[in-house]
Amino acid sequence: MITLRKSGDRGHANHGWLDSYHTFSFANYYDPEHMGFRALRVINQDRVDGGAGFGTHGHRDMEIVSYVLEGGLDHRDSMGNGSTILPGDVQRMTAGTGVLHSEFNHSKTDPVRFLQIWIEPGRRGLQPGYEQKLFSRAEKLNQLREIVSPDGRDGSVTIHQDARIFAAILEAGQKVAHQLNENRYAWLQVVRGAIALNGLPLVEGDGAAIAAAGTLTVQASEESELLLFDLA
């Protein structure tokens, strides 16, 4: 069974410097029908103006994954990490027992666009941690590249949950397939472009929950980018 979550039905908050779309309930947007999917708790599509960002704030007991689409995002945290996240980079921060961090647009003039993803960890009270890796366009072109996993397989970023994230950039007409096993669930998020999931059309910002085992086939009608979550 596939349940669509259309882009225009998401929560939306425009703070001037920040324009954010919420796939699931977040901050002042609350929808009891969309509190998350399995361990996937947050998918926010954020656009931050040049020179702006999120000042120092705290998190606990969450696996936070950042996926930059355009521009650069400067990260600083209480663990001593400091980096700029660029398109192709995947950053994972384990909040665990508690961490403070800030995120600011690397540019003073141009916007940064990124996805902020929260996944509930398998257990609470973890030691805070940080990881960042680059996955090139070539690694994702016309194929599903595993970028996040519970075991770090194939050089993926490691999270503390039985969840895997795959990324793909599909040229027009190209398609990929993923076998969803019994007792597994999937969420597909269209980052940009237009695709068909088992024949169902989706466009940028759309998501889909999949709750039945079988083969998932994604075909692009124009150059597109997507994330596929395989969840317990």
Side-chain angles (χ1 to χ4, degrees):
M1 183 177 70
I2 299 176
T3 304
L4 298 183
R5 174 69 160 146
K6 301 299 289 182
S7 174
D9 295 335
R10 295 177 296 174
H12 182 217
N14 191 333
H15 302 283
W17 63 273
L18 168 67
D19 191 23
S20 185
Y21 288 88
H22 310 314
T23 295
F24 305 116
S25 294
F26 185 85
N28 293 329
Y29 168 64
Y30 174 73
D31 181 345
E33 299 300 315
H34 296 95
M35 297 299 296
F37 182 71
R38 310 301 292 178
L40 179 58
R41 180 61 187 83
V42 168
I43 302 177
N44 289 348
Q45 177 185 314
D46 290 343
R47 180 188 184 278
V48 177
D49 285 348
F54 305 90
T56 301
H57 60 284
H59 295 284
R60 296 180 66 90
D61 290 319
M62 197 65 68
E63 301 288 275
I64 300 173
V65 176
S66 297
Y67 188 89
V68 172
L69 311 176
E70 174 187 319
L73 188 66
D74 287 340
H75 168 94
R76 300 289 183 274
D77 64 45
S78 55
M79 295 177 283
N81 299 299
S83 67
T84 300
I85 313 166
L86 300 172
D89 286 334
V90 176
Q91 180 211 65
R92 181 268 303 165
M93 186 176 72
T94 296
T97 54
V99 66
L100 299 172
H101 80 137
S102 64
E103 297 167 296
F104 279 87
N105 190 337
H106 183 70
S107 171
K108 299 299 182 185
T109 56
D110 299 324
V112 58
R113 294 177 59 245
F114 67 101
L115 294 182
Q116 180 182 162
I117 298 160
W118 292 11
I119 296 174
E120 296 177 357
R123 60 183 177 87
R124 294 179 175 273
L126 293 166
Q127 180 73 21
Y130 180 91
E131 191 176 8
Q132 181 175 330
K133 291 186 177 180
L134 171 66
F135 299 89
S136 69
R137 173 184 169 88
E139 291 179 81
K140 297 176 283 188
L141 187 61
N142 298 325
Q143 59 186 333
L144 288 167
R145 173 61 162 102
E146 191 163 8
I147 59 172
V148 174
S149 72
D151 52 13
R153 68 171 61 179
D154 297 328
S156 55
V157 169
T158 304
I159 60 168
H160 300 86
Q161 177 56 270
D162 185 5
R164 302 181 184 277
I165 306 176
F166 300 84
I169 298 172
L170 300 182
E171 295 173 311
Q174 295 294 313
K175 62 183 177 180
V176 292
H178 179 75
Q179 182 63 38
L180 189 63
N181 295 329
E182 292 289 341
N183 301 317
R184 301 292 296 183
Y185 300 80
W187 182 276
L188 186 140
Q189 187 72 25
V190 182
V191 175
R192 60 183 175 92
I195 60 100
L197 169 63
N198 288 10
L200 296 173
L202 291 88
V203 298
E204 179 177 332
D206 287 352
I210 301 99
T215 301
L216 306 177
T217 302
V218 179
Q219 183 165 17
S221 54
E222 60 185 62
E223 179 159 300
S224 303
E225 187 168 3
L226 61 96
L227 295 178
L228 177 65
F229 300 78
D230 188 315
L231 307 161

